[in-house]
Short mmCIF file of all heavy atoms in Angstrom, two decimals:
data_model
loop_
_atom_site.label_atom_id
_atom_site.label_comp_id
_atom_site.label_asym_id
_atom_site.label_seq_id
_atom_site.Cartn_x
_atom_site.Cartn_y
_atom_site.Cartn_z
N PHE A 330 52.01 -21.66 267.58
CA PHE A 330 52.59 -20.77 266.60
C PHE A 330 52.03 -20.90 265.15
O PHE A 330 51.75 -19.89 264.52
CB PHE A 330 54.11 -20.86 266.64
CG PHE A 330 54.72 -20.59 267.98
CD1 PHE A 330 55.03 -21.60 268.85
CD2 PHE A 330 54.99 -19.24 268.35
CE1 PHE A 330 55.59 -21.36 270.07
CE2 PHE A 330 55.52 -18.98 269.60
CZ PHE A 330 55.84 -20.01 270.48
N ALA A 331 51.95 -22.13 264.70
CA ALA A 331 51.49 -22.43 263.35
C ALA A 331 50.12 -21.78 263.08
O ALA A 331 49.88 -21.33 261.94
CB ALA A 331 51.53 -23.85 263.02
N PRO A 332 49.14 -21.75 264.05
CA PRO A 332 47.83 -21.19 263.77
C PRO A 332 47.93 -19.72 263.35
O PRO A 332 46.98 -19.25 262.66
CB PRO A 332 47.05 -21.36 265.08
CG PRO A 332 47.68 -22.54 265.74
CD PRO A 332 49.16 -22.49 265.37
N PHE A 333 49.04 -19.03 263.70
CA PHE A 333 49.08 -17.61 263.32
C PHE A 333 49.28 -17.52 261.84
O PHE A 333 49.06 -16.38 261.26
CB PHE A 333 50.21 -16.95 264.09
CG PHE A 333 49.80 -16.62 265.55
CD1 PHE A 333 49.93 -17.56 266.52
CD2 PHE A 333 49.29 -15.38 265.83
CE1 PHE A 333 49.58 -17.29 267.84
CE2 PHE A 333 48.94 -15.09 267.15
CZ PHE A 333 49.05 -16.04 268.17
N GLY A 334 49.73 -18.58 261.11
CA GLY A 334 49.73 -18.50 259.63
C GLY A 334 48.32 -18.42 259.15
O GLY A 334 48.04 -17.69 258.18
N GLY A 335 47.38 -19.16 259.82
CA GLY A 335 45.95 -19.03 259.44
C GLY A 335 45.35 -17.73 259.75
O GLY A 335 44.55 -17.10 259.03
N PHE A 336 45.78 -17.17 260.94
CA PHE A 336 45.29 -15.86 261.39
C PHE A 336 45.77 -14.77 260.42
O PHE A 336 44.95 -13.82 260.05
CB PHE A 336 45.79 -15.51 262.82
CG PHE A 336 45.32 -16.49 263.83
CD1 PHE A 336 46.07 -16.64 264.99
CD2 PHE A 336 44.16 -17.27 263.66
CE1 PHE A 336 45.71 -17.55 265.95
CE2 PHE A 336 43.77 -18.17 264.61
CZ PHE A 336 44.54 -18.37 265.74
N PHE A 337 46.96 -14.90 259.94
CA PHE A 337 47.49 -13.96 258.97
C PHE A 337 46.70 -14.04 257.64
O PHE A 337 46.31 -13.01 257.07
CB PHE A 337 48.97 -14.21 258.65
CG PHE A 337 49.55 -13.42 257.58
CD1 PHE A 337 49.97 -12.11 257.77
CD2 PHE A 337 49.65 -13.90 256.27
CE1 PHE A 337 50.53 -11.31 256.79
CE2 PHE A 337 50.20 -13.13 255.23
CZ PHE A 337 50.64 -11.86 255.50
N ALA A 338 46.37 -15.24 257.24
CA ALA A 338 45.56 -15.42 256.01
C ALA A 338 44.17 -14.82 256.21
O ALA A 338 43.60 -14.21 255.28
CB ALA A 338 45.46 -16.96 255.66
N SER A 339 43.58 -14.99 257.44
CA SER A 339 42.28 -14.36 257.71
C SER A 339 42.33 -12.86 257.59
O SER A 339 41.46 -12.23 257.03
CB SER A 339 41.81 -14.81 259.11
OG SER A 339 41.63 -16.17 259.19
N GLY A 340 43.43 -12.27 258.12
CA GLY A 340 43.59 -10.81 258.04
C GLY A 340 43.70 -10.37 256.64
O GLY A 340 43.17 -9.30 256.23
N LEU A 341 44.44 -11.17 255.79
CA LEU A 341 44.54 -10.77 254.38
C LEU A 341 43.23 -10.83 253.64
O LEU A 341 42.92 -9.97 252.86
CB LEU A 341 45.57 -11.81 253.74
CG LEU A 341 46.08 -11.50 252.31
CD1 LEU A 341 46.86 -10.15 252.32
CD2 LEU A 341 46.88 -12.58 251.74
N LYS A 342 42.47 -11.83 253.97
CA LYS A 342 41.13 -11.97 253.31
C LYS A 342 40.22 -10.83 253.71
O LYS A 342 39.43 -10.29 252.92
CB LYS A 342 40.50 -13.34 253.65
CG LYS A 342 41.11 -14.48 252.90
CD LYS A 342 40.37 -15.78 253.13
CE LYS A 342 40.62 -16.31 254.53
NZ LYS A 342 40.02 -17.71 254.62
N ARG A 343 40.32 -10.49 254.97
CA ARG A 343 39.44 -9.36 255.53
C ARG A 343 39.90 -8.04 254.89
O ARG A 343 39.12 -7.18 254.65
CB ARG A 343 39.55 -9.28 257.01
CG ARG A 343 38.75 -10.38 257.71
CD ARG A 343 38.89 -10.29 259.26
NE ARG A 343 38.21 -11.40 259.86
CZ ARG A 343 36.87 -11.45 260.14
NH1 ARG A 343 36.13 -10.39 259.77
NH2 ARG A 343 36.33 -12.55 260.71
N THR A 344 41.21 -7.89 254.66
CA THR A 344 41.68 -6.67 254.05
C THR A 344 41.09 -6.49 252.67
O THR A 344 40.72 -5.31 252.28
CB THR A 344 43.24 -6.70 253.92
OG1 THR A 344 43.83 -6.86 255.27
CG2 THR A 344 43.81 -5.47 253.28
N PHE A 345 41.02 -7.53 251.91
CA PHE A 345 40.50 -7.44 250.55
C PHE A 345 39.09 -7.89 250.40
O PHE A 345 38.53 -8.06 249.30
CB PHE A 345 41.42 -8.23 249.59
CG PHE A 345 42.78 -7.70 249.51
CD1 PHE A 345 43.83 -8.21 250.27
CD2 PHE A 345 43.09 -6.69 248.58
CE1 PHE A 345 45.08 -7.72 250.14
CE2 PHE A 345 44.38 -6.13 248.50
CZ PHE A 345 45.36 -6.65 249.29
N LYS A 346 38.39 -8.08 251.58
CA LYS A 346 36.93 -8.35 251.65
C LYS A 346 36.53 -9.57 250.81
O LYS A 346 35.63 -9.45 249.99
CB LYS A 346 36.19 -7.09 251.21
CG LYS A 346 36.42 -5.92 252.11
CD LYS A 346 35.68 -4.67 251.61
CE LYS A 346 35.90 -3.66 252.66
NZ LYS A 346 35.99 -2.31 252.21
N VAL A 347 37.19 -10.66 251.00
CA VAL A 347 36.85 -11.89 250.39
C VAL A 347 36.67 -13.01 251.46
O VAL A 347 37.27 -12.95 252.49
CB VAL A 347 37.89 -12.35 249.30
CG1 VAL A 347 37.96 -11.41 248.16
CG2 VAL A 347 39.21 -12.57 249.99
N LYS A 348 35.76 -13.95 251.18
CA LYS A 348 35.45 -15.02 252.15
C LYS A 348 36.49 -16.11 252.01
O LYS A 348 36.98 -16.64 253.05
CB LYS A 348 34.00 -15.56 251.92
CG LYS A 348 33.62 -16.62 252.95
CD LYS A 348 32.22 -17.08 252.64
CE LYS A 348 31.73 -18.11 253.69
NZ LYS A 348 32.53 -19.35 253.71
N ASP A 349 36.84 -16.46 250.79
CA ASP A 349 37.83 -17.52 250.55
C ASP A 349 38.80 -17.07 249.54
O ASP A 349 38.51 -16.14 248.75
CB ASP A 349 37.15 -18.85 250.09
CG ASP A 349 36.28 -19.41 251.17
OD1 ASP A 349 36.73 -19.55 252.33
OD2 ASP A 349 35.15 -19.78 250.89
N PHE A 350 40.00 -17.67 249.44
CA PHE A 350 40.98 -17.33 248.45
C PHE A 350 40.56 -17.79 247.07
O PHE A 350 41.05 -17.32 246.11
CB PHE A 350 42.32 -17.92 248.84
CG PHE A 350 43.07 -17.12 249.90
CD1 PHE A 350 43.19 -17.61 251.18
CD2 PHE A 350 43.62 -15.91 249.57
CE1 PHE A 350 43.83 -16.88 252.11
CE2 PHE A 350 44.29 -15.20 250.53
CZ PHE A 350 44.43 -15.63 251.81
N GLY A 351 39.70 -18.80 247.03
CA GLY A 351 39.28 -19.34 245.78
C GLY A 351 38.20 -20.42 245.95
O GLY A 351 37.62 -20.58 247.03
N HIS A 352 37.95 -21.13 244.88
CA HIS A 352 36.90 -22.20 244.93
C HIS A 352 37.45 -23.48 244.29
O HIS A 352 36.70 -24.21 243.61
CB HIS A 352 35.67 -21.72 244.19
CG HIS A 352 35.14 -20.42 244.71
ND1 HIS A 352 34.40 -20.34 245.86
CD2 HIS A 352 35.25 -19.12 244.27
CE1 HIS A 352 34.07 -19.09 246.09
NE2 HIS A 352 34.55 -18.33 245.12
N SER A 353 38.75 -23.68 244.44
CA SER A 353 39.42 -24.84 243.82
C SER A 353 38.89 -26.21 244.38
O SER A 353 38.74 -27.18 243.66
CB SER A 353 40.91 -24.85 244.06
OG SER A 353 41.42 -23.58 243.63
N ILE A 354 38.53 -26.24 245.71
CA ILE A 354 38.08 -27.47 246.36
C ILE A 354 36.62 -27.25 246.77
O ILE A 354 36.33 -26.43 247.66
CB ILE A 354 38.95 -27.74 247.59
CG1 ILE A 354 40.43 -27.73 247.30
CG2 ILE A 354 38.55 -29.14 248.12
CD1 ILE A 354 41.27 -27.82 248.42
N PRO A 355 35.66 -27.95 246.19
CA PRO A 355 34.24 -27.81 246.53
C PRO A 355 34.02 -27.94 248.04
O PRO A 355 34.41 -28.93 248.61
CB PRO A 355 33.54 -28.91 245.69
CG PRO A 355 34.47 -29.16 244.54
CD PRO A 355 35.85 -28.93 245.08
N GLY A 356 33.33 -27.00 248.57
CA GLY A 356 33.01 -27.02 250.06
C GLY A 356 34.13 -26.58 250.94
O GLY A 356 33.91 -26.44 252.17
#
Side-chain angles (χ1 to χ4, degrees):
F330 300 97
F333 282 85
F336 301 153
F337 175 81
S339 297
L341 190 64
K342 287 188 286 187
R343 288 179 182 276
T344 300
F345 294 96
K346 297 180 174 143
V347 295
K348 184 178 184 296
D349 295 312
F350 281 107
H352 305 283
S353 307
I354 311 172

